Amino acid sequence: MATTEQFRALFDPRGVVVAGASTHPGKFGFVALHNILANGYEGRVFATNRDAAPVLGIETVPSLDDIPAGEADLLFVCTPAVTNLDVLRSAAERGIRAAFLASAGYGEAGEEGRRAQDELVALAEELGILIVGPNGQGLVSTPSSLCAQIVAPYPPAGRIGVASQSGNFVSSFMNYACATGVGISRAVSAGNAAMVGVTDFLAFYAEDAETDVALAYVEGITDGRRFFRELSDVAERMPVVLVKGGATSGGARAAASHTGSLASDDRVFDGMCRQAGAIRARSIEEAYEVAASFATQPTPRGNRVAVVSTAGGWGVVTADAIAGTDLELLALPDDLITALDAELPPRWSRNNPIDMAGGETKDTIPAVLAIVARHPDVDAIVLLGMGIQSNQGRMEHDGPFFPEWGLDRIAAFHDRQDHRYTTLAAELSEELGKPLLVATELAVTFPDNAAVRGTVEAGRLCYPSSNRAVNALARLWERTQWQARRHG
Amino acid sequence: MPTASPISGSITLSEADSKALLGRFGVPLAGERLADDPDAAVVAADELGYPVVAKLNGERIAHKTERGLVRLNLADADAVRTAATDLLGAATAADGQVQVLVAPMLRGNRELIAGLSKDPQFGMTVMVGIGGIFAEALADVAIRLVPIERVDAEEMIDELRTQALLGPFRGEPAVDRTQLADVLLGLSRAAVATPELVSADLNPLIVVDGLPIAVDALVEVQA
């Protein structure tokens, strides 16, 4: 059983050794060292190379025995499987407590590989070293500016802890983090999970002061009951978002009972997640968005949603999306309607979705947003139609008439306004402890739009559509309910 | 010899024994009698009150409906006598020891299904779903790992997609969710207390005046 101290050695090491650093830029042993050096890691970096050839400006040594003791906590292993038992023994003598093995040739490689893997684990346990992998992509830890992995990217810092049975999906989640700005605290690919698997990392994240939400991808589960217990334990303490690959691969089951034939793998897994209190996402992008929502939005205290829009159609579709969830489109109370009457032109919707009908002054949107957000009946807000004016400003800026005809002033004005609106949205959300989700396709079509930037700079996810915002909010509410039913 | 089953080394209990096992854990059952011959079946029906259902009962009889071994809505003694004679006559040597099970004919527009099954990865699970002839086509079910708590049972019921079937329906009151949760908790307790249990079906659970009542049960145990 891995200790918290070992996980700290893995994620926040004082120094790192790359075993098997290579001068060939196509080799893992080069890429791993490159990525550690290129992303701001501040601890000491050592590397071994059979010929002691310098790599990327690092003087390498032929053996781990040549590395000063007590300077490094983490070993990143790119050496061939046959040499790794010796590598581990030397590492333990140098005071290293954790090793990530990118090396292949273990459990994934037939009977002989499985034997080698068992030997590796037995030795690691004897030496008190945590083994992660083998056959994994690596790990990332933004609090330590550590990018110890054999692939890009390095994500922005944030509060999401990722653990995955597939390294590819660690990359996918981190690519989403790069694209949206909602960052990652720790990320790790479990590889063959010889010693520790996904739930072990989740258990560490539940204790980790740097992590607020766990995000996991799983495929095969060897011990279902143990998985359930560990998942329950983590979900009790922290939101867990989970995607399962291969959930539908199990065919219809031969069973004597109707119950047995209805209890498909997928439905059992689904029920297990609900019972454990984990949020099961249906796709990688949903998983990321829901995790990003847990990481950046306050917990909803109720399910009554106000939809605030600068124009009609978006609000209507959003109301439809809400109708398909456990969320409720709040029927506007009279005092809220009266308060909004004072701010909006007579043609406003006087209904939820709150369609501001365009005719606003420069302070209308902030005023309306504050009134709605502060109303005690409103539990959450979905804000739509931000960034339209600054998108027009972009066209004017890029067009043939700029900056004449006052286009420079108007474009700058719209940028300021849109940025102000979404900045205020985040501030209100923070102050009031209510989810306030900004949704616009500009998040993907023109991510440098001022409204999008206002949201992203506030550390929030700018949802690419209102349906996706509503779904994320519904999943936050799902957890609130799960907790309320169990802990009152 | 016991009925062959996909899970090797398991046998199915007769309907009467299945009900006796699950009934001990609070699963609601229609009152019923076992009769060895047509005369005894008529006596049982007289005691229960008409109309009644008659079924062939035996350890090796698993899929009665498919074999035409269920007679519904028997209105009087003559009908019971005829049905019991037919059923006993339909038994084959392979069915082994058989009897006629006589039960009150329960009426309800809605059928649910509940049960237990052993998942190869997660072990024993409990299920509730929409029953009746569309049960497998709709596959509107909720599953949890045994044991469950009341909150889990309640969430399972809430999770079913066809909530309209659980509310007031065609002149019948809403399904009593507490009672339905009790059924699931009873199944869960039965599984915990009976390690040799492999699967259980309550199919259907007929909703009578809002109360779920199991009119058929099939329990599979390790031999």
Side-chain angles (χ1 to χ4, degrees):
Chain A
M1 193 53 214
T3 64
T4 304
E5 195 207 337
Q6 287 175 323
F7 281 115
R8 297 233 167 275
L10 180 76
F11 287 117
D12 297 316
R14 282 169 303 168
V16 181
V17 182
V18 175
S22 170
T23 55
H24 190 302
K27 301 265 192 190
F28 291 165
F30 179 94
V31 176
L33 184 61
H34 173 271
N35 291 352
I36 292 168
L37 294 172
N39 287 289
Y41 177 62
E42 287 175 0
R44 291 194 65 181
V45 180
F46 306 93
T48 68
N49 171 277
R50 208 173 37 198
D51 308 321
V55 184
L56 292 162
I58 297 276
E59 294 301 323
T60 65
V61 291
S63 157
L64 265 157
D65 299 331
D66 303 322
I67 283 165
E71 294 286 332
D73 295 316
L74 172 64
L75 177 70
F76 195 93
V77 183
C78 300
T79 40
V82 286
T83 65
N84 285 344
L85 294 178
D86 289 338
V87 169
L88 271 196
R89 283 194 197 93
S90 302
E93 282 172 21
R94 308 285 94 195
I96 284 168
R97 303 295 315 278
F100 191 100
L101 277 83
S103 319
Y106 287 101
E108 81 288 357
E111 189 53 43
E112 204 172 314
R114 275 192 293 278
R115 249 195 325 273
Q117 185 164 312
D118 290 345
E119 268 182 277
L120 187 75
V121 171
L123 179 64
E125 276 168 0
E126 187 190 314
L127 298 172
I129 289 190
L130 169 66
I131 294 269
V132 183
N135 192 31
Q137 274 190 190
L139 67 108
V140 152
S141 177
T142 58
S144 290
S145 303
L146 178 63
C147 181
Q149 56 176 359
I150 54 175
V151 286
Y154 180 69
R159 310 291 305 172
I160 302 173
V162 176
S164 174
Q165 285 182 355
S166 155
N168 302 135
F169 285 125
V170 177
S171 304
S172 297
F173 290 135
M174 293 196 298
N175 281 322
Y176 284 123
C178 293
T180 62
V182 179
I184 304 282
S185 55
R186 330 277 195 181
V188 61
S189 86
N192 293 355
M195 195 168 174
V196 283
V198 164
T199 50
D200 297 299
F201 293 109
L202 301 188
F204 170 71
Y205 295 156
E207 292 179 15
D208 181 20
E210 303 290 341
T211 303
D212 289 338
V213 49
L215 172 57
Y217 173 83
V218 294
E219 275 173 19
I221 292 166
T222 41
D223 181 344
R225 282 286 162 161
R226 186 178 153 207
F227 187 87
F228 171 66
R229 273 196 312 276
E230 293 174 347
L231 187 63
S232 304
D233 186 52
V234 176
E236 190 66 45
R237 295 183 282 164
M238 171 179 283
V240 182
V241 183
L242 199 67
V243 200
K244 169 91 160 75
T248 54
S249 64
R253 202 173 283 164
S257 63
H258 289 100
T259 303
S261 60
L262 283 163
S264 65
D265 289 354
D266 188 54
R267 293 186 194 119
V268 170
F269 189 83
D270 204 69
M272 185 279 299
C273 287
R274 291 170 192 267
Q275 195 169 359
I279 305 290
R280 184 183 178 194
R282 289 164 291 252
S283 66
I284 295 296
E285 56 268 43
E286 187 198 8
Y288 180 76
E289 285 177 6
V290 173
S293 303
F294 276 112
T296 61
Q297 294 283 345
T299 306
R301 289 187 289 264
N303 69 338
R304 296 165 301 177
V305 183
V307 177
V308 179
S309 176
T310 54
W314 288 310
V316 176
V317 165
T318 308
D320 291 343
I322 288 171
T325 68
D326 286 340
L327 301 170
E328 180 192 324
L329 189 68
L330 172 72
L332 295 189
D334 290 342
D335 63 324
L336 182 50
I337 292 178
T338 307
L340 292 176
D341 278 340
E343 300 293 335
L344 288 166
R347 63 178 182 277
W348 82 278
S349 63
R350 306 195 89 238
N351 207 336
N352 188 10
I354 297 165
D355 174 1
M356 293 184 283
E360 61 270 354
T361 73
K362 73 181 177 51
D363 296 320
T364 302
I365 289 175
V368 166
L369 206 49
I371 289 168
V372 174
R374 289 183 192 286
H375 195 282
D377 290 1
V378 173
D379 297 314
I381 294 178
V382 178
L383 177 60
L384 309 169
M386 297 292 102
I388 312 175
Q389 299 292 2
S390 45
N391 203 33
Q392 173 59 30
R394 161 199 299 278
M395 181 178 279
E396 289 163 356
H397 179 274
D398 295 347
F401 301 103
F402 191 85
E404 305 303 324
W405 305 91
L407 292 179
D408 54 345
R409 286 199 311 282
I410 195 76
F413 170 75
H414 286 316
D415 271 8
R416 278 198 308 278
Q417 285 292 90
D418 273 325
H419 194 272
R420 172 189 170 207
Y421 299 154
T422 53
T423 303
L424 175 74
E427 286 168 359
L428 281 168
S429 172
E430 209 66 47
E431 178 202 327
L432 299 167
K434 296 180 182 183
L436 205 166
L437 292 76
V438 176
T440 168
E441 69 285 353
L442 294 167
V444 282
T445 56
F446 295 105
D448 61 344
N449 178 284
V452 179
R453 279 194 288 107
T455 303
V456 171
E457 285 163 15
R460 299 288 181 106
L461 180 64
C462 189
Y463 297 83
S465 76
S466 63
N467 292 68
R468 284 157 75 165
V470 166
N471 180 65
L473 184 57
R475 306 309 304 260
L476 298 187
W477 174 238
E478 188 180 320
R479 176 161 174 87
T480 302
Q481 283 177 294
W482 187 87
Q483 288 178 308
R485 290 196 195 108
R486 282 158 183 82
H487 307 297
Chain B
M1 289 305 289
T3 309
S5 154
I7 295 180
S8 62
S10 75
I11 55 166
T12 52
L13 303 184
S14 73
E15 178 177 343
D17 289 348
S18 296
K19 286 176 170 172
L21 192 158
L22 297 176
R24 286 202 298 280
F25 297 94
V27 169
L29 302 161
E32 62 190 30
R33 310 289 157 91
L34 279 176
D36 287 326
D37 55 50
D39 286 342
V42 170
V43 171
D46 285 345
E47 285 171 13
L48 290 166
Y50 293 91
V52 296
V53 182
K55 312 180 215 183
L56 195 65
N57 181 68
E59 282 192 358
R60 292 184 236 159
I61 301 171
H63 297 291
K64 289 182 282 286
T65 308
E66 290 84 335
R67 286 183 55 194
L69 300 179
V70 180
R71 301 298 154 86
L72 302 173
N73 211 14
L74 306 172
D76 53 35
D78 284 348
V80 171
R81 190 181 312 279
T82 307
T85 308
D86 287 355
L87 289 171
L88 291 167
T92 65
D95 291 333
Q97 190 74 31
V98 295
Q99 293 164 301
V100 176
L101 189 149
V102 184
M105 176 76 198
L106 296 180
R107 289 179 193 284
N109 286 314
R110 290 168 290 186
E111 293 187 0
L112 304 174
I113 178 171
L116 298 164
S117 80
K118 206 166 241 178
D119 182 80
Q121 224 154 30
F122 290 98
M124 189 55 81
T125 66
V126 58
M127 186 202 78
V128 67
I130 302 302
I133 54 171
F134 297 126
E136 302 205 358
L138 292 173
D140 185 3
V141 300
I143 298 169
R144 296 291 185 275
L145 310 191
V146 166
I148 54 167
E149 317 244 348
R150 181 164 294 277
V151 63
D152 299 311
E154 288 166 353
E155 285 176 346
M156 289 172 75
I157 299 165
D158 290 347
E159 186 185 319
L160 297 176
R161 296 188 304 272
T162 320
Q163 287 292 317
L165 269 182
L166 302 178
F169 183 78
R170 296 177 73 114
E172 296 177 14
V175 172
D176 186 324
R177 287 174 182 250
T178 306
Q179 294 269 348
L180 184 53
D182 286 342
V183 174
L184 304 179
L185 287 163
L187 286 170
S188 174
R189 283 195 305 274
V192 171
T194 319
E196 66 273 24
L197 202 148
V198 174
S199 76
D201 269 344
L202 300 173
N203 182 29
L205 273 171
I206 294 191
V207 180
V208 182
D209 295 330
L211 300 180
I213 298 174
V215 299
D216 195 0
L218 177 66
V219 169
E220 184 186 3
V221 293
Q222 284 296 333

